[in-house]
Amino acid sequence: MDVAAEGKAIAKVNDLVIFVPYVVPGDVVDLQIKRKKNKYAEAEVVKIHEYSPNRTVPFCQHYGVCGGCKWQVLPYSEQIKYKQKQVEDNLKRIGKIELPEILPILGSEKTEFYRNKLEFTFSNKRWLTAEEIRLDVKYDQMNAVGFHIPGAFDKVLAIEKCWLQDDISNRIRNAVRDYAYEHDYSFINLRSQEGMLRNMIVRTSSTGELMVIVICKITEDHEMELFKQLLQFIADSFPEITSLLYIINNKCNDTINDLDVHVFKGKDHIFEEMEGLRFKVGPKSFYQTNSEQAYNLYKIARNFAGLTGNELVYDLYTGTGTIANFVSRQARQVIGIEYVPEAIEDAKVNAEINDIKNTLFYAGDMKDMLTQDFINQHGRPDVIITDPPRAGMHQDVIDVILFAEPKRIVYVSCNPATQARDLQLLDSKYKVKAVQPVDMFPHTHHVENVVLLEFR
């Protein structure tokens, strides 16, 4: 048996590859095939005969139901071993390029309560587990706040304790839930779109600040009055909240990017801090969700970039400019490009807050922005740092990078498979000099990978 990139264990029967969730290599089990294709199948366990010695007891009461943290049954030392293998397999099998020895994965010091952001969903359809259905458990209250069940958009698993974020997150969620139960607030029905309470986002930060965003559907005046009473309850119960915000969402989907954010109490932002640099994080800002590992990731990227103070650096997919501003002290100039205009505004604010004068930021689709004309106008970069989304880089972007011919490329990726594909496309002019995997998300299969390429 092995472990697949999706966090499922792999069993092989003759030539058939079978993917099985919630088991580990070494378990002896009976399987029931749920879905079968020509070369692979998906199955679930119906009986466990013998547990693997490489198995540990999950620490979360919601393990196996909520759909997150699938690797809790693997000791952390085993998790990072498989993540290292995942990176190596992808680069060798998909990339098919010459590689140096891959550096050992950098594990996360915190394996619990490491996230700085969680989003909870309210629903009037509480998910009942198979065990609860078997035992015919009856709940007085079928409203729930927690996480969506995979594959059931309208059902929510009631979460009592989540181990991903500081425990303040659990206390706030459970207090809001109890207040809503006591005062008979309606929870959204995600099919009919009736009900008031929709979502709640909690953001913590390394500076000790705390942001809570409550999202409701409001169609009548008396509902607004009830909403304000709930917000006042939250403010009174948790004085440590430095930014209490609310959003009215009367749409049929949960996205908030196109909605106004209102301040109920405190500021409209919190700050993250790295090496004395302060990064403003608003309700819609993207920031790496594991702050401590993000710092380690950026240090590796900066180290790989080999900056001396004389370089022109392009930071592609710059987001809110975190990497661009982080490396700016060691560069002559950094130019950041990002698709989301609001993120670019945040990047400019972050530069201003930190009195950084040598960064420029541009908003637009990467393949449209990063053109030969752009390079002719701003100069050929000495170093390109790129941190694209999971889908990797567009062929047009790769073509312009090959045209620009920077001395070094630092490629940060959350998907080693698409990264391997892109490295193969860059292989005609660039040689991989260093590879450093970084584990950002313990108990999941996700891994970040930093690759240094040098011009041949």
Side-chain angles (χ1 to χ4, degrees):
M1 282 178 81
D2 199 349
V3 177
E6 303 82 27
K8 296 172 181 173
I10 301 171
K12 286 184 180 172
V13 178
N14 300 324
D15 291 332
L16 186 68
V17 177
I18 306 171
F19 295 98
V20 192
Y22 306 117
V23 293
V24 303
D27 284 344
V28 179
V29 298
D30 290 342
L31 298 177
Q32 183 174 16
I33 300 287
K34 290 294 183 183
R35 203 159 69 97
K36 188 172 181 296
K37 299 280 186 182
N38 284 340
K39 293 189 175 177
Y40 75 92
E42 293 182 16
E44 63 181 38
V45 174
V46 289
K47 185 178 180 183
I48 297 180
H49 293 278
E50 190 181 320
Y51 285 118
S52 166
N54 282 341
R55 177 186 263 270
T56 190
V57 179
F59 51 80
C60 178
Q61 71 194 78
H62 305 295
Y63 174 78
V65 183
C66 104
C69 307
K70 288 187 175 73
W71 280 10
Q72 275 188 38
V73 283
L74 269 178
Y76 189 58
S77 58
E78 290 292 303
Q79 291 179 35
I80 58 174
K81 186 174 88 178
Y82 282 111
K83 289 184 185 188
Q84 178 91 17
K85 185 173 182 295
Q86 178 189 331
V87 169
E88 291 180 1
D89 286 353
N90 278 309
L91 294 188
K92 287 171 183 168
R93 188 170 46 83
I94 300 169
K96 296 184 177 69
I97 52 174
E98 190 185 340
L99 293 167
E101 187 174 343
I102 295 173
L103 294 164
I105 188 168
L106 184 66
S108 177
E109 268 193 39
K110 279 188 182 172
T111 58
E112 298 164 2
F113 305 126
Y114 63 84
R115 283 183 70 102
N116 56 39
K117 180 186 176 188
L118 275 184
E119 179 168 352
F120 302 105
T121 300
F122 296 84
S123 171
N124 73 336
K125 285 191 167 65
R126 178 191 186 120
W127 175 262
L128 296 176
T129 65
E131 183 73 359
E132 287 170 333
I133 292 168
R134 188 178 66 80
L135 296 172
D136 198 27
V137 174
K138 294 283 189 289
Y139 286 101
D140 297 334
Q141 185 58 261
M142 286 304 288
N143 288 330
V145 56
F147 298 131
H148 281 286
I149 285 290
F153 85 94
D154 62 330
K155 300 256 187 4
V156 163
L157 177 69
I159 297 293
E160 195 59 42
K161 177 169 183 171
C162 176
W163 293 76
L164 284 171
Q165 192 176 26
D166 186 287
D167 199 51
I168 186 67
S169 178
N170 289 312
R171 298 202 301 275
I172 292 169
R173 183 197 59 252
N174 291 347
V176 169
R177 174 201 65 198
D178 294 346
Y179 181 90
Y181 285 173
E182 189 183 333
H183 294 85
D184 204 24
Y185 280 58
S186 60
F187 287 37
I188 194 91
N189 179 318
L190 290 163
R191 285 189 185 272
S192 69
Q193 287 294 305
E194 296 169 310
M196 183 177 155
L197 296 178
R198 291 191 72 131
N199 307 90
M200 184 169 70
I201 299 167
V202 180
R203 298 188 88 141
T204 53
S205 86
S206 56
T207 59
E209 293 172 292
L210 176 61
M211 176 185 285
V212 176
I213 310 155
V214 188
I215 301 142
C216 276
K217 178 172 184 173
I218 303 289
T219 53
E220 297 176 29
D221 290 345
H222 80 277
E223 290 176 333
M224 194 64 213
E225 186 53 40
L226 284 171
F227 190 19
K228 292 282 176 75
Q229 288 170 19
L230 171 64
L231 291 164
Q232 192 59 55
F233 163 76
I234 297 169
D236 293 343
S237 304
F238 299 95
E240 56 267 64
I241 295 173
T242 56
S243 173
L244 180 55
L245 312 174
Y246 68 93
I247 296 173
I248 310 298
N249 180 8
N250 293 343
K251 303 180 302 166
C252 291
N253 63 59
D254 287 340
T255 58
I256 61 169
N257 285 337
D258 55 343
L259 300 173
D260 293 331
V261 181
H262 308 276
V263 178
F264 185 80
K265 179 198 165 193
K267 301 177 295 184
D268 66 351
H269 60 274
I270 56 178
F271 281 102
E272 275 289 352
E273 204 167 88
M274 249 183 237
E275 286 187 358
L277 294 173
R278 286 162 66 76
F279 296 97
K280 183 181 176 184
V281 179
K284 301 176 187 178
S285 297
F286 170 78
Y287 194 87
Q288 284 279 7
T289 48
N290 185 338
S291 300
E292 289 178 21
Q293 282 297 82
Y295 177 42
N296 288 325
L297 184 77
Y298 299 155
K299 280 194 292 187
I300 292 162
R302 184 177 62 190
N303 182 40
F304 278 10
L307 303 175
T308 64
N310 299 316
E311 290 83 7
L312 172 61
V313 179
Y314 281 14
D315 181 28
L316 312 185
Y317 312 91
T318 191
T320 55
T322 316
I323 291 180
N325 287 314
F326 185 72
V327 304
S328 63
R329 290 172 178 169
Q330 284 80 24
R332 173 167 55 84
Q333 187 174 46
V334 185
I335 296 173
I337 307 173
E338 165 62 41
Y339 178 70
V340 183
E342 293 85 358
I344 285 297
E345 291 311 306
D346 283 347
K348 290 175 180 174
V349 168
N350 285 329
E352 200 177 319
I353 288 166
N354 293 290
D355 197 30
I356 295 168
K357 305 278 201 269
N358 62 335
T359 53
L360 285 173
F361 293 102
Y362 294 94
D365 192 308
M366 191 62 59
K367 65 179 170 46
D368 301 329
M369 291 294 297
L370 186 68
T371 60
Q372 295 183 14
D373 286 346
F374 185 93
I375 286 168
N376 292 336
Q377 182 186 344
H378 292 91
R380 283 181 181 269
D382 300 294
V383 177
I384 285 180
I385 299 173
T386 181
D387 186 3
R390 290 192 67 76
M393 295 193 290
H394 192 280
Q395 179 70 54
D396 291 354
V397 177
I398 289 172
D399 290 343
V400 177
I401 291 174
L402 290 169
F403 162 77
E405 295 187 346
K407 294 190 201 79
R408 283 181 295 283
I409 300 168
V410 179
Y411 190 152
V412 182
S413 173
C414 58
N415 185 346
T418 54
Q419 185 183 41
R421 177 204 67 203
D422 292 349
L423 294 179
Q424 189 182 44
L425 296 172
L426 292 164
D427 191 52
S428 61
K429 287 189 178 181
Y430 287 90
K431 183 181 174 68
V432 174
K433 299 294 285 186
V435 180
Q436 173 71 77
V438 181
D439 184 27
M440 304 289 284
F441 306 106
H443 314 304
T444 76
H445 62 278
H446 299 292
V447 62
E448 293 269 346
N449 193 42
V450 192
V451 172
L452 168 64
L453 301 106
E454 287 188 352
F455 194 70
R456 288 185 184 277

